[in-house]
Amino acid sequence: MSQATLNVDLDAVVANWKFLKNLHNGKQTSAVVKADSYGLGAIQVTKALIKAGCERFFVATLSEALDLRAKLPTIKIYVFQGALKDEEAEYIHHHIHPVINTIQALKTWLKIQHENPTALEAAIHIDSGMNRLGLNFSDLNEPNLQAIKSLRADLLMTHYASASDLDSPQNAAQFDLMQQAEQMLPHLTTCYANSAAHFLPAKYHGDVTRPGCALYGINPLDNAADMMQNVATLTAPILQLRTLDKHETVGYGATETLPAGSKILTAGIGYADGIHRTASHRLYGFIGDYKLPQIGRVTMDMTCYDASNVPEKILQQATYIEILNHQQTVNDLARIYKTIGYEVLTSISQRVKRKYTK
Amino acid sequence: MSQATLNVDLDAVVANWKFLKNLHNGKQTSAVVKADSYGLGAIQVTKALIKAGCERFFVATLSEALDLRAKLPTIKIYVFQGALKDEEAEYIHHHIHPVINTIQALKTWLKIQHENPTALEAAIHIDSGMNRLGLNFSDLNEPNLQAIKSLRADLLMTHYASASDLDSPQNAAQFDLMQQAEQMLPHLTTCYANSAAHFLPAKYHGDVTRPGCALYGINPLDNAADMMQNVATLTAPILQLRTLDKHETVGYGATETLPAGSKILTAGIGYADGIHRTASHRLYGFIGDYKLPQIGRVTMDMTCYDASNVPEKILQQATYIEILNHQQTVNDLARIYKTIGYEVLTSISQRVKRKYTK
C-alpha cells in the first residue's frame, strides 16, 4: 500500500544511546521509552537497546508498561506516574517497578511489599524544583525517612527543570537539594540525568542516567549545535500532479494564489497524520535534493507543494516526498511548528505506518 | 486503570447526523469517517450511523477502508484518495469504491472493470476550485468524457473550498462549474455538500450529502453560533495534589511563579496525548463546575493546574479532571490551540483510552 510512512533507523538510536553513555563515562545508562518511544515504537527501540546493553527502561503509565511487558517478559520497567489507585495488583503481577511520588504511595507500597515478597523495588522520586510530580524535599523528615529506609527501593530520582539551558542556576540549586537528600538516603542508587543533563558536569548525572529525547535525534540543548544522529524519516505518497491552466488559488479559504504553469504536487499526509496545521505555508517537502515549498493550508489528509522547480522527468518518476529527513530534521520542524522536537515526534499519528531499518 | 480517557457520546453523533439530514430535507445523507472518525473511532461511529439509516461511508485511504471492512463486511465504503499504484487488487477483493481523481486512474479503473465484473462503481471527483485532488474541469473533454460515460460509476463529487464562509463567492463559482459538469454527465448521482455546505441553499447540496466534522461536534461555520451537540469528553487522572510551602516556580524552564499556599494539581495528560503544547498557560481543567487555570508548560505526559479555588473536600474526593467537555468544547480548544476543531480531535492520540456511551 502507498501510505505515509515513518522510517526509524534503529542503528541511529543505538548510536545516540552510546554517545550519551560515553558522556556518562561509560557508566550505567538506561532509556526512557515512554509515549511509545516518543512515537517511534517502544518495542522495537527497547529491543535494539537491550542488544546494546541497556538494562532499565522508563515509561509514563501502567498501560505503557503492560504493552512493553507483553512482548518483553524479563526487562526492568519503571513507571514514572507510579501506581495509582487500584493499579497496585498489576504492578505486582507483571513485575513492574513503581516510582513513588507521594507519601500516600510510599505508605501503600510499603504495606504491599510487607504482604507480597514478590512486589518489586520502588524508585523514590524527589521533586527538587519542577513542582509537578514527586515527593517534596520537605517530606524527607521523620517518620517518612524511616518509611523510605524500610522500603525495598533501588533508585533515588529527580528531574531537572532547566537542564536544556546548561547555564541555568536552577541546575545547581536542584543538585544541591539532591545532595542533601543523598545524605539522608545513602543506600539508594542515584538516577538524575535526562538527555540534556548528560552535558552538565558528571557529578550532576547521578549513578545511572536516563536519556529520552536525544535517543530519538532531538537536540536536547537550547543553545548548542546538534550532536545527535537523525533517526526518523517521514515520507508521504504523491497522490496527484497538476499544472495550473491559469493564475489560480489553492486549498481551503483560497489562501494562496499561484501563476499559470505552476506545478502542484498533492501528497497524502496531513494534520491527522501529525503534520501540524500551524506549519501551513512554512513547511517543505523534498524529492531527492529538490526542496518544494508547501502551499495552501495543511489539510486533514493532504498537503500541496509547489513542484515548479523540479524537472518534469524527476517529477514523473517520483512516487513519494520526504517531510522529515536529514534536510528538514525534527529540530527544524520544531522551529516551523513553533514547538519542541518532542511534540513533533509524539504528534506523528498511528495512521502513519512505521518501518524499521538497521 | 487510571488513564486519560476520551468518552464518545454516540447518541450525540447520531443526533448531529439527523440534524444535518433534516437540513438536506431528509434526503440521502452519508458520513465521512476518515482519520478514525476524526479520532473518535470509525468502527463505533459507523455502527451507530448504520442503525440510524446511513448507507455510504467515506474514508481517506485504502488502509482506513480495510480497517472498516474487517469489521463491517457489507457496507458501502468510498476512498477519497482513490486506488494508488498497485492498490487496485485490494479494492476489487474487498469491494471498495475508489474515487477517481486523475485521468490515469480513470483509464486504469475502466480497464479493471472491463476485466473484473465484480470491480465496484467508482465515484468521479471534479476539483472545482481546491486545486488539491480531483479531475480538472478542463479534463471533461473528448475522449475523457466518453471514458467516464463507459465507466460503471455512481457519484459525481466535488469539494467546496470555502463553504465554512457561507457568503464566499467561491461557493457559487464552484457550484456553477458543477452544473456544467452535470450537463455533460447527467447519469451520475451528485454528492457535493460537506458539513458546512448543508447550511447553503439546498441546490448546492447535490443529491447525497457527506458531512464529517459536524457529526463530531465541530461547528462547521466560521461566523455562526454552534448548533451541534457536544460529542467528546476528555478526562485525565489526578496524579498528585501539592500545596506550595513558599513562593515557587512550576514546570520546565521555571516559566510560572505561584505564591505560597497555592494548590497545584498534576494531571496525567500531556502533548503525547494530544493536548497541544501551544495551549500552555491558556487552557483550563474542570472539576464539576470549578474551572482550574492550567499552569506551567504542557509537558509530554502531564499538565499542572492551579486548584487554589477548589474547596479542599471536593479536591480530596476528585479522581480526575475534564479537559474537553460542554464547558470547554472542541470549538473552544480550537481557539486556545489557534487551530480548527478538526485538528483538536485528530490530535488526541491512541494512548488515550476510548470509551463509548449511548
Side-chain angles (χ1 to χ4, degrees), chain A residues 64 132 136 242 266 351, chain B residues 64 132 136 242 266 351:
Chain A
E64 292 179 354
R132 185 180 63 167
N136 288 322
R242 177 194 307 277
T266 303
R351 187 164 75 172
Chain B
E64 292 179 356
R132 185 180 64 166
N136 288 320
R242 177 193 307 279
T266 303
R351 187 163 77 173

